[in-house]
Amino acid sequence: IFRYLRLVVHCISYYRFKSRPVQIKPAYLPDQATVIIPTTFKCAAEFARCLGSILACGPFEVIVVTSKAKLCAVETCCRINGFNDGVRVISVGKLNKRRQLVAALRQTMSEITIFADDDVFWPEDFLESILASFDDPAVGAAGPRQRVVRNARPNVWNFLGIAYLERRNFNTGATNNLDGGISTLSGRTSAYRTSILKNDAFYDAFLNDAWFSRPLNTDDDKCLTRWTYSKGWKIHLQFDDNAVLETTVECSSKFLLQCVRWARAHWRGNLTVMANNSYWYRKHLWTLYAVYISQFQTPALLVDGFLVYLLSKASESWSYNARWLIFQTFAFWLFFTKIVKLIPHLLRHPRDVKFLPASIIFGYVHGFINIYACLTLHVHGDLAILSMTTLTDKIQSSFP
């Protein structure tokens, strides 16, 4: 019950989750929102596609923040693609996402501020849908549903990336619907009331965020989530069809590196909240159980293996037929738990069912990635995983 109660409840909650409808007279219109895009400008084509999709939604202004070294290149890209109107490009000394966000936030003049990564793509009515969350005066921040771009001919890595975000949608949507809780409002795209962030207290906390006295450049979305909740605001997720952004992840074994980075951020963020804040147990009791306590049920292979052992010992005196039936039932249940979060995607793309065995195996492998990440929170490099990905690439290259 402790292991799987949350899944049963989350199934009910997720599929009953209703987004806030866009009102005839909403509290905020797209031209009351400023979009801030911190960019490393690694891929000009992807950046241009991202910026074009955001401008098509009609925000008040887009502020692009890069380093001084890349300022000219970003300005040239905007000029070539005809993005001069409504776009302001500014720079900081060197690339540092937190300093980039604060530099742009200081210049924001609208009531709503939206942070967006430079590899996300918005649908046309995205802003109207996200801003509907702020019709509730108690909501301080909002976020969308996320999907990984499915390649025309997806490989297993592309599917694992898709599955990762589908599971994340399932978990965050379910907890947010139940008690308003969420572990992290993803930094890929997140909207905030500007007044919550545009002040010296936030700048100081955000720029001096640290893990065991070591300054953090990553985990910015964790810090933003923590700040919003700690100031008494609600966070709302908007999951209707108009609030679905697409993004890209690694489509090779480098995806493992991303998983390590995300897992480390998960551990650091949650442990920081548990050590320094009280909202996670005062206001969000279900999220306390489903996220903060359940995160220690890892790796799943050991937990599920222990359940199999207990079932075997408990049924030793049963007949062969009875034991065979109960183990078949348990195997079916385990299979169901591994695919239920992917049902929305499989309904859209039935052909991807061929990747399910790899997805199930990776689900168990990811538990050990979580352990590795937890034991190496102090490490900034991923040499062990990098070696594994290099080996995987060499193995793959030996096959046609």
Side-chain angles (χ1 to χ4, degrees):
I1 291 174
F2 182 77
R3 167 70 171 156
Y4 286 115
L5 174 65
R6 60 173 172 157
L7 179 65
V8 175
V9 175
H10 281 188
C11 286
I12 298 171
S13 177
Y14 178 77
Y15 288 107
R16 290 177 59 85
F17 192 6
K18 295 182 180 179
S19 296
R20 191 181 300 277
V22 178
Q23 303 296 322
I24 297 176
K25 293 184 178 180
Y28 297 98
L29 297 172
D31 60 5
Q32 293 173 283
T34 293
V35 182
I36 295 174
I37 307 177
T39 181
T40 58
F41 201 63
K42 291 181 179 179
C43 178
E46 187 174 72
F47 170 77
R49 181 187 169 194
C50 167
L51 186 53
S53 72
I54 290 174
L55 287 171
C57 294
F60 170 74
E61 183 181 33
V62 176
I63 302 178
V64 178
V65 198
T66 188
S67 64
K68 288 183 179 179
K70 297 191 175 185
L71 178 63
C72 182
V74 173
E75 289 178 331
T76 300
C77 179
C78 290
R79 184 174 63 254
I80 291 175
N81 288 278
F83 295 151
N84 294 327
D85 294 337
V87 177
R88 195 153 40 115
V89 183
I90 64 174
S91 65
V92 295
K94 61 181 181 179
L95 293 174
N96 179 297
K97 188 175 182 181
R98 293 191 184 227
R99 295 191 179 281
Q100 287 172 265
L101 293 178
V102 169
L105 189 58
R106 291 180 186 274
Q107 301 187 33
T108 301
M109 295 177 288
S110 60
E111 294 185 65
I112 302 294
T113 297
I114 301 177
F115 299 126
D117 283 350
D118 60 0
D119 57 357
V120 300
F121 315 112
W122 293 2
E124 187 175 352
D125 297 323
F126 182 83
L127 269 184
E128 286 91 339
S129 183
I130 286 295
L131 293 176
S133 300
F134 296 100
D135 289 341
D136 181 350
V139 170
R145 183 196 296 266
Q146 305 173 59
R147 286 181 189 155
V148 169
V149 174
R150 182 180 182 273
N151 298 335
R153 298 181 63 183
N155 61 15
V156 68
W157 297 109
N158 184 214
F159 180 79
L160 291 179
I162 291 170
Y164 186 95
L165 282 193
E166 287 293 336
R167 292 189 183 99
R168 190 183 191 282
N169 288 333
F170 183 92
N171 293 329
T172 57
T175 58
N176 193 249
N177 187 39
L178 283 164
D179 65 3
I182 184 176
S183 174
T184 311
L185 183 58
S186 174
R188 292 185 182 90
T189 291
S190 53
Y192 297 86
R193 294 184 188 271
T194 304
S195 59
I196 300 175
L197 307 180
K198 194 173 180 180
N199 56 77
D200 290 337
F202 171 73
Y203 300 153
D204 181 67
F206 192 59
L207 294 177
N208 294 293
D209 192 21
W211 174 258
F212 281 92
S213 302
R214 299 183 67 178
L216 283 172
N217 179 31
T218 58
D219 305 358
D220 52 281
D221 49 3
K222 292 280 187 182
C223 185
L224 286 161
T225 304
R226 190 166 65 246
W227 179 268
T228 303
Y229 275 136
S230 66
K231 298 304 175 183
W233 292 93
K234 295 179 180 179
I235 295 178
H236 180 260
L237 294 181
Q238 190 76 340
F239 271 16
D240 67 32
D241 292 338
N242 292 325
V244 180
L245 69 78
E246 289 192 316
T247 187
T248 57
V249 299
E250 293 288 350
C251 286
S252 68
S253 54
K254 291 181 180 179
F255 175 69
L256 295 173
L257 290 174
Q258 289 186 309
C259 288
V260 171
R261 179 166 54 84
W262 293 333
R264 284 185 178 144
H266 177 79
W267 281 112
R268 279 194 297 260
N270 286 354
L271 293 175
T272 298
V273 167
M274 296 173 75
N276 301 324
N277 299 94
S278 61
Y279 66 79
W280 60 281
Y281 64 83
R282 291 184 181 275
K283 295 183 178 181
H284 308 136
L285 289 178
W286 179 262
T287 304
L288 162 64
Y289 155 69
V291 175
Y292 294 101
I293 294 178
S294 294
Q295 68 184 329
F296 298 105
Q297 294 185 46
T298 190
L301 182 62
L302 299 184
V303 179
D304 288 345
F306 186 56
L307 289 177
V308 172
Y309 169 76
L310 291 178
L311 183 59
S312 176
K313 298 297 290 184
S315 60
E316 279 182 333
S317 62
W318 299 8
S319 67
Y320 172 83
N321 288 337
R323 295 193 80 192
W324 177 243
L325 177 61
I326 198 65
F327 275 102
Q328 280 184 313
T329 304
F330 188 62
F332 175 80
W333 168 253
L334 286 180
F335 177 73
F336 170 77
T337 65
K338 305 306 176 187
I339 69 167
V340 63
K341 300 177 184 180
L342 305 181
I343 288 176
H345 174 77
L346 294 176
L347 290 176
R348 293 191 302 272
H349 303 286
R351 287 187 174 185
D352 286 356
V353 71
K354 65 185 178 183
F355 295 118
L356 280 182
S359 177
I360 293 172
I361 293 171
F362 181 76
Y364 283 118
V365 171
H366 193 269
F368 293 97
I369 291 178
N370 274 335
I371 295 297
Y372 171 78
C374 183
L375 296 176
T376 57
L377 292 177
H378 61 288
V379 179
H380 290 280
D382 296 303
L383 297 180
I385 295 295
L386 185 58
S387 299
M388 184 165 62
T389 59
T390 303
L391 176 61
T392 304
D393 285 337
K394 288 181 178 179
I395 293 173
Q396 288 180 331
S397 64
S398 63
F399 291 93

